[in-house]
Amino acid sequence: MAWSFRQLELAWGRKARAVPPSAALRKGAKIDGGLTEWCRETAATFGLPELARRVCVGWNARMQTTAGRAWWPDRLIELNPKLKEQPPEELWRTLRHELAHLIAYERAGRRRIEVHGPEWRAACAELGIPNEQPFHNLPFKRKRMKRNFAYVCPQCSTTIRRVKKIQRTVACYACCRKYSGGIFDNRFRLHEQKL
Ligand SMILES: [Zn+2]
Ligand SMILES: [Zn+2]
């Protein structure tokens, strides 16, 4: 979601941009204006003005399998950009899950609370996700290519694996360097190994 003029006006109008999202920038997140605005409005309806003023939502491309996380007192929500490839309800559920953390912390103030304790569950219910689980798994596919070919050095037994079959004749780099001055030596030719 990108900034629209309407959102920008809204934001300027209520000085939503007055607080620089330094926490987000420090953590390398890319701010999402639309989602931030939604969280601000939601926090305002919850009667949490400080949260409404400071909450910020950003995309963090460095996140691997975690769908989202919430930072407090930074009042920052980070989302995994892979959520964009998921059905939209995944994104909204994750956003609510994380906002529920910030609402729970905001209400608790200095009182220490459990991360996924009753305060968080109450906030989830109020946000319309009553049965939210502490850890939900997203079907993030790890893109890992199957390496179908293995080659072994007869000298040092080093094995290398490749996705594709090696067409050329190749030798063990380490052994060629060690014993033949870095020049190809047939003694160290890699042998294909059946997997
Ligand atoms: Zn959580
Ligand atoms: Zn070798």
Side-chain angles (χ1 to χ4, degrees):
M1 231 179 275
W3 277 100
S4 71
F5 276 114
R6 179 83 189 116
Q7 281 164 345
L8 205 58
E9 269 169 24
L10 269 173
W12 279 114
R14 61 178 75 161
K15 291 189 176 162
R17 300 280 277 179
V19 179
S22 54
L25 300 176
R26 205 168 54 241
K27 293 186 165 77
K30 217 173 138 221
I31 312 302
D32 189 299
L35 298 183
T36 297
E37 192 57 32
W38 183 83
C39 287
R40 284 178 176 168
E41 281 172 12
T42 307
T45 65
F46 274 68
L48 300 166
E50 183 70 3
L51 182 60
R53 197 170 66 84
R54 291 178 56 186
V55 68
C56 193
V57 183
W59 300 98
N60 191 335
R62 280 176 299 186
M63 290 169 83
Q64 296 293 313
T65 53
T66 313
R69 59 185 170 213
W71 299 87
W72 205 88
D74 295 330
R75 296 169 178 85
L76 168 68
I77 293 170
E78 284 184 302
L79 298 174
N80 190 326
K82 293 185 192 102
L83 276 167
K84 293 175 189 173
E85 298 152 22
Q86 302 288 324
E89 56 268 27
E90 266 322 318
L91 162 65
W92 285 102
R93 196 169 62 99
T94 305
L95 185 62
R96 285 177 164 92
H97 175 122
E98 303 309 333
L99 184 61
H101 281 304
L102 297 185
I103 289 170
Y105 288 131
E106 198 79 22
R107 284 171 170 169
R110 283 160 189 244
R111 192 163 53 89
R112 283 183 75 99
I113 54 167
E114 263 180 80
V115 178
H116 294 107
E119 297 85 357
W120 172 77
R121 283 199 301 273
C124 282
E126 288 167 77
L127 285 166
I129 46 166
N131 300 315
E132 181 65 3
Q133 298 299 306
F135 303 101
H136 58 259
N137 295 316
L138 273 180
F140 287 155
K141 282 188 214 101
R142 286 176 174 273
K143 271 185 192 159
R144 189 173 286 158
M145 300 259 258
K146 236 184 122 187
R147 298 190 163 192
N148 294 314
F149 298 92
Y151 298 87
V152 190
C153 168
Q155 174 73 23
C156 68
S157 302
T158 292
T159 307
I160 61 161
R161 307 215 26 188
R162 289 286 181 272
V163 176
K164 287 180 185 167
K165 196 176 173 72
I166 298 177
Q167 300 297 341
R168 303 168 296 129
T169 305
V170 284
C172 173
Y173 180 69
C175 289
C176 289
R177 249 185 77 172
K178 201 168 168 186
Y179 305 109
S180 51
I183 297 158
F184 175 88
D185 191 315
N186 206 44
R187 286 178 297 159
F188 313 125
R189 190 162 62 83
L190 298 179
H191 297 281
E192 191 180 336
Q193 196 185 44
K194 285 275 169 283
L195 287 177

